[in-house]
Coordinates of all heavy atoms in Angstrom, one line a residue:
Chain G
H140 N -16.9 18.0 -11.4 CA -18.0 17.1 -11.1 C -19.4 17.8 -11.4 O -20.3 17.2 -12.0 CB -17.9 16.6 -9.7 CG -19.1 15.7 -9.3 ND1 -20.1 16.2 -8.5 CD2 -19.4 14.4 -9.5 CE1 -21.0 15.2 -8.3 NE2 -20.6 14.2 -8.9
I141 N -19.5 19.0 -10.9 CA -20.7 19.8 -11.1 C -21.0 20.0 -12.6 O -22.1 19.8 -13.0 CB -20.6 21.1 -10.3 CG1 -20.6 20.9 -8.8 CG2 -21.8 22.1 -10.7 CD1 -20.1 22.1 -8.0
M142 N -20.0 20.4 -13.3 CA -20.2 20.6 -14.7 C -20.6 19.4 -15.5 O -21.5 19.4 -16.4 CB -18.9 21.2 -15.4 CG -18.6 22.6 -14.9 SD -17.1 23.2 -15.6 CE -17.0 24.8 -14.9
R143 N -20.0 18.3 -15.2 CA -20.4 17.0 -15.9 C -21.8 16.6 -15.5 O -22.5 16.1 -16.4 CB -19.4 15.9 -15.5 CG -18.0 16.1 -16.1 CD -17.1 15.1 -15.5 NE -15.7 15.1 -16.1 CZ -14.7 14.5 -15.6 NH1 -14.8 13.8 -14.5 NH2 -13.5 14.6 -16.2
E144 N -22.3 16.8 -14.3 CA -23.6 16.5 -13.9 C -24.6 17.3 -14.8 O -25.6 16.8 -15.3 CB -23.9 16.8 -12.4 CG -23.4 15.7 -11.5 CD -24.0 14.4 -11.7 OE1 -25.2 14.2 -11.4 OE2 -23.3 13.5 -12.3
V145 N -24.3 18.6 -15.0 CA -25.2 19.4 -15.8 C -25.2 19.0 -17.2 O -26.2 18.9 -17.8 CB -24.8 20.9 -15.6 CG1 -25.6 21.8 -16.6 CG2 -24.9 21.4 -14.2
A146 N -24.0 18.7 -17.7 CA -23.9 18.3 -19.1 C -24.7 17.0 -19.4 O -25.4 16.8 -20.4 CB -22.5 18.1 -19.5
A147 N -24.7 16.1 -18.3 CA -25.4 14.9 -18.5 C -26.9 15.0 -18.3 O -27.7 14.3 -18.9 CB -24.9 13.9 -17.5
E148 N -27.4 15.9 -17.5 CA -28.8 16.0 -17.1 C -29.6 17.1 -17.7 O -30.8 17.0 -17.8 CB -29.0 16.0 -15.6 CG -28.5 14.7 -15.0 CD -29.2 14.3 -13.7 OE1 -30.0 15.1 -13.2 OE2 -28.9 13.3 -13.1
A149 N -29.0 18.2 -18.1 CA -29.8 19.3 -18.6 C -30.0 19.1 -20.1 O -29.2 18.5 -20.8 CB -29.1 20.7 -18.4
D150 N -31.1 19.7 -20.6 CA -31.4 19.5 -22.1 C -30.5 20.5 -22.9 O -30.0 20.2 -24.0 CB -32.9 19.8 -22.4 CG -33.8 18.7 -21.7 OD1 -33.3 17.6 -21.7 OD2 -34.9 19.1 -21.3
R151 N -30.4 21.7 -22.4 CA -29.8 22.7 -23.2 C -29.0 23.7 -22.2 O -29.5 24.7 -21.9 CB -30.8 23.5 -23.9 CG -30.4 23.8 -25.4 CD -31.5 24.4 -26.2 NE -31.0 25.6 -26.9 CZ -29.9 25.6 -27.7 NH1 -29.2 24.5 -28.0 NH2 -29.6 26.7 -28.4
P152 N -27.8 23.2 -21.8 CA -27.0 24.1 -20.9 C -26.2 25.2 -21.7 O -26.0 25.1 -22.9 CB -26.0 23.1 -20.3 CG -26.0 21.9 -21.2 CD -27.2 21.9 -22.1
V153 N -25.9 26.2 -20.9 CA -25.1 27.3 -21.5 C -24.1 27.8 -20.4 O -24.5 27.7 -19.2 CB -26.0 28.4 -22.0 CG1 -26.7 29.1 -20.9 CG2 -25.1 29.5 -22.8
M154 N -23.0 28.3 -20.8 CA -22.1 28.9 -19.8 C -22.1 30.4 -20.0 O -21.8 30.9 -21.0 CB -20.7 28.3 -19.9 CG -19.7 29.0 -19.0 SD -18.1 28.0 -18.8 CE -18.6 26.7 -17.7
L155 N -22.5 31.1 -18.9 CA -22.5 32.6 -18.9 C -21.0 33.0 -18.7 O -20.4 32.5 -17.8 CB -23.4 33.1 -17.9 CG -24.9 32.8 -18.1 CD1 -25.7 33.3 -17.0 CD2 -25.4 33.3 -19.5
Y156 N -20.6 34.0 -19.5 CA -19.3 34.4 -19.5 C -19.2 35.9 -19.4 O -19.8 36.6 -20.2 CB -18.6 33.9 -20.8 CG -17.2 34.2 -21.0 CD1 -16.2 33.7 -20.2 CD2 -16.8 35.1 -22.0 CE1 -14.9 34.0 -20.4 CE2 -15.4 35.4 -22.2 CZ -14.5 34.8 -21.4 OH -13.2 35.1 -21.6
S157 N -18.6 36.4 -18.3 CA -18.6 37.8 -18.1 C -17.2 38.4 -18.4 O -17.0 39.6 -18.3 CB -18.9 38.2 -16.6 OG -17.8 37.8 -15.8
I158 N -16.3 37.6 -18.8 CA -14.9 38.0 -19.2 C -14.0 38.3 -18.0 O -12.9 38.6 -18.2 CB -14.9 39.1 -20.2 CG1 -16.2 39.0 -21.1 CG2 -13.7 39.0 -21.2 CD1 -16.3 40.2 -22.1
G159 N -14.6 38.3 -16.8 CA -13.8 38.6 -15.6 C -12.9 37.4 -15.2 O -12.9 36.4 -15.9
K160 N -12.2 37.5 -14.1 CA -11.2 36.5 -13.7 C -12.0 35.2 -13.3 O -11.5 34.1 -13.5 CB -10.3 37.0 -12.6 CG -11.0 37.3 -11.3 CD -10.0 37.9 -10.3 CE -10.6 37.9 -8.9 NZ -11.9 38.5 -8.7
D161 N -13.1 35.4 -12.6 CA -13.9 34.2 -12.2 C -14.4 33.4 -13.4 O -14.4 32.2 -13.5 CB -15.0 34.6 -11.3 CG -14.6 35.3 -10.1 OD1 -14.0 34.7 -9.2 OD2 -14.7 36.6 -10.1
S162 N -14.9 34.2 -14.4 CA -15.3 33.5 -15.7 C -14.1 32.8 -16.3 O -14.3 31.7 -16.9 CB -15.8 34.6 -16.7 OG -17.1 34.9 -16.4
A163 N -13.0 33.4 -16.3 CA -11.8 32.8 -16.9 C -11.5 31.4 -16.2 O -11.2 30.4 -16.9 CB -10.6 33.7 -16.8
V164 N -11.6 31.4 -14.9 CA -11.4 30.2 -14.2 C -12.4 29.1 -14.5 O -12.2 28.0 -14.8 CB -11.3 30.4 -12.7 CG1 -11.4 29.1 -11.9 CG2 -10.0 31.2 -12.3
M165 N -13.7 29.6 -14.6 CA -14.8 28.7 -14.9 C -14.6 28.1 -16.3 O -14.8 26.9 -16.5 CB -16.1 29.4 -14.8 CG -17.3 28.6 -15.0 SD -18.8 29.4 -14.4 CE -19.0 30.7 -15.6
L166 N -14.2 28.9 -17.2 CA -14.0 28.4 -18.6 C -12.9 27.4 -18.7 O -13.0 26.3 -19.3 CB -13.8 29.6 -19.5 CG -13.5 29.3 -21.0 CD1 -14.6 28.5 -21.6 CD2 -13.2 30.6 -21.8
H167 N -11.8 27.7 -17.9 CA -10.7 26.8 -17.9 C -11.1 25.4 -17.3 O -10.7 24.4 -17.8 CB -9.6 27.4 -17.0 CG -8.3 26.6 -17.0 ND1 -7.4 26.6 -18.0 CD2 -7.8 25.8 -16.0 CE1 -6.4 25.8 -17.7 NE2 -6.6 25.3 -16.5
L168 N -11.9 25.5 -16.3 CA -12.4 24.2 -15.6 C -13.3 23.4 -16.6 O -13.2 22.2 -16.6 CB -13.2 24.5 -14.3 CG -12.3 25.0 -13.2 CD1 -13.2 25.7 -12.1 CD2 -11.5 23.8 -12.6
A169 N -14.1 24.1 -17.4 CA -14.9 23.5 -18.4 C -14.1 22.7 -19.4 O -14.4 21.6 -19.8 CB -15.9 24.5 -19.1
K170 N -13.0 23.4 -19.8 CA -12.1 22.7 -20.8 C -11.6 21.4 -20.2 O -11.5 20.4 -20.8 CB -11.0 23.6 -21.2 CG -11.4 24.8 -22.1 CD -10.3 25.5 -22.8 CE -9.6 26.5 -21.9 NZ -8.6 27.3 -22.7
K171 N -11.2 21.5 -18.9 CA -10.6 20.3 -18.2 C -11.7 19.2 -18.0 O -11.4 18.0 -18.2 CB -10.1 20.7 -16.9 CG -8.7 21.5 -16.9 CD -8.1 21.5 -15.5 CE -6.6 21.5 -15.6 NZ -6.0 21.3 -14.3
A172 N -12.9 19.6 -17.7 CA -13.9 18.7 -17.4 C -14.2 17.7 -18.6 O -14.6 16.6 -18.4 CB -15.2 19.4 -17.0
F173 N -14.1 18.3 -19.8 CA -14.6 17.5 -20.9 C -13.5 17.1 -21.9 O -13.7 16.4 -22.9 CB -15.7 18.3 -21.7 CG -16.9 18.6 -20.8 CD1 -17.0 19.8 -20.2 CD2 -17.8 17.6 -20.4 CE1 -18.1 20.1 -19.4 CE2 -18.8 17.8 -19.5 CZ -19.0 19.1 -19.0
Y174 N -12.2 17.5 -21.6 CA -11.1 17.1 -22.4 C -11.1 15.6 -22.6 O -11.3 14.8 -21.7 CB -9.8 17.5 -21.7 CG -8.6 17.2 -22.5 CD1 -8.1 18.0 -23.5 CD2 -7.9 15.9 -22.2 CE1 -6.9 17.6 -24.2 CE2 -6.8 15.6 -22.9 CZ -6.3 16.4 -23.9 OH -5.2 16.1 -24.6
P175 N -10.8 15.1 -23.8 CA -10.4 15.8 -25.0 C -11.6 16.4 -25.9 O -11.3 17.0 -26.9 CB -9.7 14.7 -25.8 CG -10.3 13.4 -25.4 CD -10.7 13.6 -24.0
S176 N -12.8 16.2 -25.4 CA -13.9 16.8 -26.2 C -13.9 18.3 -25.8 O -13.5 18.7 -24.7 CB -15.3 16.2 -25.7 OG -15.4 14.9 -26.1
P177 N -14.5 19.2 -26.7 CA -14.7 20.6 -26.3 C -15.9 20.6 -25.3 O -16.7 19.6 -25.3 CB -15.0 21.3 -27.6 CG -15.5 20.2 -28.5 CD -14.9 18.9 -28.1
P178 N -16.0 21.6 -24.5 CA -17.2 21.6 -23.6 C -18.5 21.5 -24.4 O -18.6 22.2 -25.4 CB -17.1 23.0 -22.9 CG -15.6 23.3 -22.9 CD -15.2 22.7 -24.2
P179 N -19.5 20.7 -24.0 CA -20.7 20.4 -24.8 C -21.7 21.4 -24.6 O -22.9 21.1 -24.5 CB -21.1 19.0 -24.4 CG -20.6 18.9 -23.0 CD -19.4 19.8 -22.8
F180 N -21.4 22.7 -24.6 CA -22.4 23.8 -24.5 C -21.7 25.1 -25.0 O -20.5 25.2 -25.0 CB -22.9 24.0 -23.1 CG -21.8 23.8 -22.0 CD1 -20.9 24.8 -21.7 CD2 -21.8 22.6 -21.3 CE1 -19.9 24.6 -20.8 CE2 -20.8 22.4 -20.3 CZ -19.8 23.4 -20.0
P181 N -22.6 26.1 -25.4 CA -22.0 27.3 -25.9 C -21.6 28.2 -24.7 O -22.0 28.0 -23.6 CB -23.1 27.9 -26.7 CG -24.4 27.3 -26.2 CD -24.0 26.0 -25.6
L182 N -20.9 29.3 -25.1 CA -20.5 30.3 -24.1 C -21.4 31.5 -24.5 O -21.6 31.9 -25.6 CB -19.0 30.6 -24.4 CG -18.2 31.2 -23.4 CD1 -18.1 30.4 -22.1 CD2 -16.7 31.4 -23.9
M183 N -21.9 32.2 -23.5 CA -22.8 33.3 -23.8 C -22.4 34.6 -23.0 O -22.2 34.5 -21.7 CB -24.3 33.0 -23.5 CG -25.2 34.2 -23.9 SD -26.9 33.6 -24.1 CE -27.4 33.5 -22.3
H184 N -22.2 35.7 -23.7 CA -22.0 36.9 -23.0 C -23.2 37.8 -23.1 O -23.6 38.2 -24.2 CB -20.7 37.6 -23.6 CG -20.4 38.9 -22.9 ND1 -20.0 40.0 -23.6 CD2 -20.4 39.3 -21.6 CE1 -19.8 41.0 -22.8 NE2 -20.0 40.6 -21.6
V185 N -23.8 38.2 -22.0 CA -24.9 39.2 -22.0 C -24.2 40.6 -21.9 O -23.7 41.0 -20.9 CB -25.8 39.0 -20.8 CG1 -26.9 40.0 -20.8 CG2 -26.4 37.6 -20.9
D186 N -24.2 41.2 -23.1 CA -23.4 42.4 -23.2 C -24.2 43.7 -22.9 O -25.4 43.8 -23.1 CB -22.9 42.5 -24.7 CG -21.8 43.6 -24.8 OD1 -21.3 44.0 -23.8 OD2 -21.5 43.9 -26.0
T187 N -23.5 44.7 -22.4 CA -24.2 46.0 -22.1 C -23.7 47.1 -23.1 O -24.1 48.2 -23.0 CB -23.8 46.5 -20.7 OG1 -22.4 46.8 -20.7 CG2 -24.2 45.5 -19.6
T188 N -22.8 46.7 -23.9 CA -22.1 47.6 -24.9 C -21.1 48.6 -24.2 O -20.5 49.4 -24.9 CB -23.0 48.4 -25.8 OG1 -23.7 49.4 -25.0 CG2 -24.1 47.5 -26.4
W189 N -21.0 48.5 -22.9 CA -20.2 49.5 -22.1 C -19.0 48.8 -21.5 O -18.4 49.4 -20.5 CB -21.0 50.2 -21.1 CG -22.0 51.2 -21.6 CD1 -23.3 51.0 -22.0 CD2 -21.7 52.6 -22.0 NE1 -23.8 52.1 -22.5 CE2 -22.9 53.1 -22.5 CE3 -20.6 53.4 -21.8 CZ2 -23.0 54.4 -22.9 CZ3 -20.7 54.7 -22.2 CH2 -21.8 55.2 -22.8
K190 N -18.6 47.6 -21.9 CA -17.5 46.9 -21.3 C -16.2 47.6 -21.9 O -16.2 48.2 -22.9 CB -17.5 45.5 -21.7 CG -18.8 44.7 -21.2 CD -18.9 44.7 -19.7 CE -20.2 44.1 -19.3 NZ -20.4 44.2 -17.9
F191 N -15.1 47.3 -21.2 CA -13.8 47.8 -21.6 C -13.4 47.1 -22.9 O -13.7 45.9 -23.2 CB -12.7 47.4 -20.6 CG -12.9 48.1 -19.3 CD1 -13.6 47.6 -18.2 CD2 -12.2 49.3 -19.0 CE1 -13.7 48.2 -17.0 CE2 -12.3 50.0 -17.8 CZ -13.1 49.4 -16.8
Q192 N -12.7 47.8 -23.8 CA -12.2 47.3 -25.1 C -11.4 46.0 -24.9 O -11.5 45.0 -25.6 CB -11.3 48.3 -25.8 CG -12.1 49.5 -26.3 CD -13.4 49.1 -27.1 OE1 -13.4 48.3 -28.0 NE2 -14.6 49.6 -26.6
D193 N -10.5 46.0 -23.9 CA -9.7 44.8 -23.6 C -10.5 43.6 -23.3 O -10.1 42.5 -23.5 CB -8.8 45.1 -22.4 CG -7.5 45.8 -22.8 OD1 -7.3 46.0 -24.0 OD2 -6.8 46.2 -21.9
M194 N -11.7 43.8 -22.7 CA -12.6 42.7 -22.4 C -13.1 42.1 -23.7 O -13.1 40.8 -23.8 CB -13.7 43.1 -21.5 CG -13.2 43.5 -20.1 SD -14.6 44.2 -19.1 CE -15.5 42.8 -18.7
Y195 N -13.6 42.9 -24.6 CA -14.1 42.4 -25.9 C -13.0 41.6 -26.6 O -13.3 40.6 -27.2 CB -14.6 43.5 -26.7 CG -15.9 44.2 -26.1 CD1 -15.9 45.5 -25.8 CD2 -17.0 43.4 -25.9 CE1 -17.1 46.1 -25.3 CE2 -18.2 44.0 -25.4 CZ -18.2 45.3 -25.0 OH -19.3 45.9 -24.5
K196 N -11.8 42.1 -26.5 CA -10.7 41.4 -27.3 C -10.5 39.9 -26.7 O -10.4 39.0 -27.4 CB -9.4 42.1 -27.1 CG -9.3 43.2 -28.2 CD -7.9 43.9 -28.1 CE -8.0 45.4 -28.3 NZ -7.0 46.2 -27.5
L197 N -10.5 39.9 -25.4 CA -10.2 38.5 -24.8 C -11.4 37.6 -25.0 O -11.2 36.4 -25.1 CB -9.9 38.7 -23.3 CG -9.6 37.3 -22.6 CD1 -8.3 36.8 -23.1 CD2 -9.5 37.5 -21.1
R198 N -12.6 38.2 -25.0 CA -13.8 37.3 -25.2 C -13.7 36.5 -26.4 O -13.9 35.2 -26.4 CB -15.0 38.3 -25.3 CG -16.3 37.5 -25.5 CD -17.5 38.5 -25.6 NE -17.5 39.2 -26.9 CZ -18.3 40.1 -27.2 NH1 -19.2 40.6 -26.3 NH2 -18.3 40.7 -28.4
E199 N -13.4 37.1 -27.6 CA -13.3 36.4 -28.8 C -12.2 35.3 -28.8 O -12.4 34.1 -29.2 CB -13.0 37.3 -30.0 CG -13.9 38.5 -30.1 CD -15.4 38.2 -30.2 OE1 -15.7 37.3 -31.0 OE2 -16.2 38.9 -29.6
K200 N -11.1 35.7 -28.2 CA -9.9 34.8 -28.2 C -10.2 33.6 -27.3 O -9.9 32.4 -27.6 CB -8.7 35.6 -27.6 CG -7.4 34.8 -27.7 CD -6.3 35.7 -27.2 CE -5.0 34.9 -27.0 NZ -4.0 35.6 -26.2
A201 N -10.9 33.8 -26.1 CA -11.1 32.7 -25.2 C -12.1 31.7 -25.7 O -11.9 30.5 -25.6 CB -11.7 33.3 -23.9
A202 N -13.1 32.2 -26.4 CA -14.1 31.3 -27.0 C -13.5 30.4 -28.1 O -13.7 29.2 -28.1 CB -15.3 32.1 -27.6
R203 N -12.7 31.0 -28.9 CA -12.0 30.2 -30.0 C -11.1 29.2 -29.3 O -11.1 28.0 -29.7 CB -11.1 31.2 -30.8 CG -11.8 31.6 -32.1 CD -10.7 32.1 -33.1 NE -9.7 33.0 -32.5 CZ -9.9 34.3 -32.4 NH1 -11.0 34.9 -32.7 NH2 -8.9 35.1 -31.8
G204 N -10.3 29.6 -28.3 CA -9.4 28.7 -27.6 C -10.0 27.5 -27.0 O -9.4 26.4 -26.9
A205 N -11.3 27.7 -26.6 CA -12.0 26.5 -26.0 C -12.8 25.7 -27.0 O -13.3 24.7 -26.6 CB -13.0 27.1 -24.9
G206 N -12.8 26.2 -28.2 CA -13.5 25.4 -29.3 C -15.0 25.5 -29.0 O -15.8 24.6 -29.4
M207 N -15.5 26.6 -28.4 CA -16.9 26.7 -28.1 C -17.6 27.8 -29.0 O -16.9 28.8 -29.4 CB -17.1 27.1 -26.7 CG -16.7 26.0 -25.7 SD -16.4 26.7 -24.0 CE -18.1 26.6 -23.4
D208 N -18.9 27.7 -29.2 CA -19.6 28.7 -29.9 C -19.8 29.9 -28.9 O -20.1 29.7 -27.8 CB -21.0 28.2 -30.3 CG -20.9 27.3 -31.5 OD1 -19.9 27.4 -32.3 OD2 -21.8 26.4 -31.6
L209 N -19.7 31.1 -29.4 CA -19.9 32.3 -28.6 C -21.2 33.0 -29.0 O -21.4 33.3 -30.2 CB -18.7 33.2 -28.8 CG -18.9 34.6 -28.0 CD1 -18.8 34.4 -26.5 CD2 -17.8 35.6 -28.5
I210 N -22.1 33.2 -28.0 CA -23.3 33.9 -28.3 C -23.2 35.2 -27.6 O -22.9 35.3 -26.4 CB -24.5 33.1 -27.7 CG1 -24.7 31.8 -28.4 CG2 -25.8 33.9 -27.9 CD1 -25.7 30.9 -27.7
V211 N -23.4 36.3 -28.3 CA -23.4 37.6 -27.6 C -24.8 38.2 -27.7 O -25.4 38.2 -28.8 CB -22.4 38.6 -28.3 CG1 -22.5 40.0 -27.7 CG2 -21.0 38.1 -28.2
Y212 N -25.3 38.6 -26.5 CA -26.7 39.1 -26.5 C -26.7 40.5 -26.0 O -26.2 40.8 -24.9 CB -27.6 38.2 -25.7 CG -29.1 38.6 -25.8 CD1 -29.9 38.1 -26.9 CD2 -29.7 39.5 -24.9 CE1 -31.2 38.6 -27.1 CE2 -31.0 39.9 -25.1 CZ -31.7 39.4 -26.2 OH -33.0 39.8 -26.3

Side-chain angles (χ1 to χ4, degrees):
Chain G
H140 174 258
I141 292 164
M142 289 179 180
R143 288 171 175 170
E144 280 301 285
V145 174
E148 294 208 358
D150 293 327
R151 224 172 130 56
V153 65
M154 177 164 281
L155 296 178
Y156 180 66
S157 73
I158 330 175
K160 64 183 197 310
D161 302 284
S162 277
V164 166
M165 183 164 68
L166 177 59
H167 184 78
L168 289 163
K170 290 198 276 187
K171 285 193 146 188
F173 302 101
Y174 177 87
S176 297
F180 37 77
L182 203 57
M183 182 163 79
H184 180 222
V185 177
D186 191 16
T187 65
T188 71
W189 287 92
K190 303 293 176 190
F191 293 90
Q192 292 311 306
D193 276 352
M194 293 173 73
Y195 290 121
K196 274 184 222 151
L197 182 65
R198 181 181 74 186
E199 310 299 322
K200 189 177 167 194
R203 261 200 317 275
M207 294 163 81
D208 287 334
L209 174 70
I210 299 171
V211 174
Y212 187 84

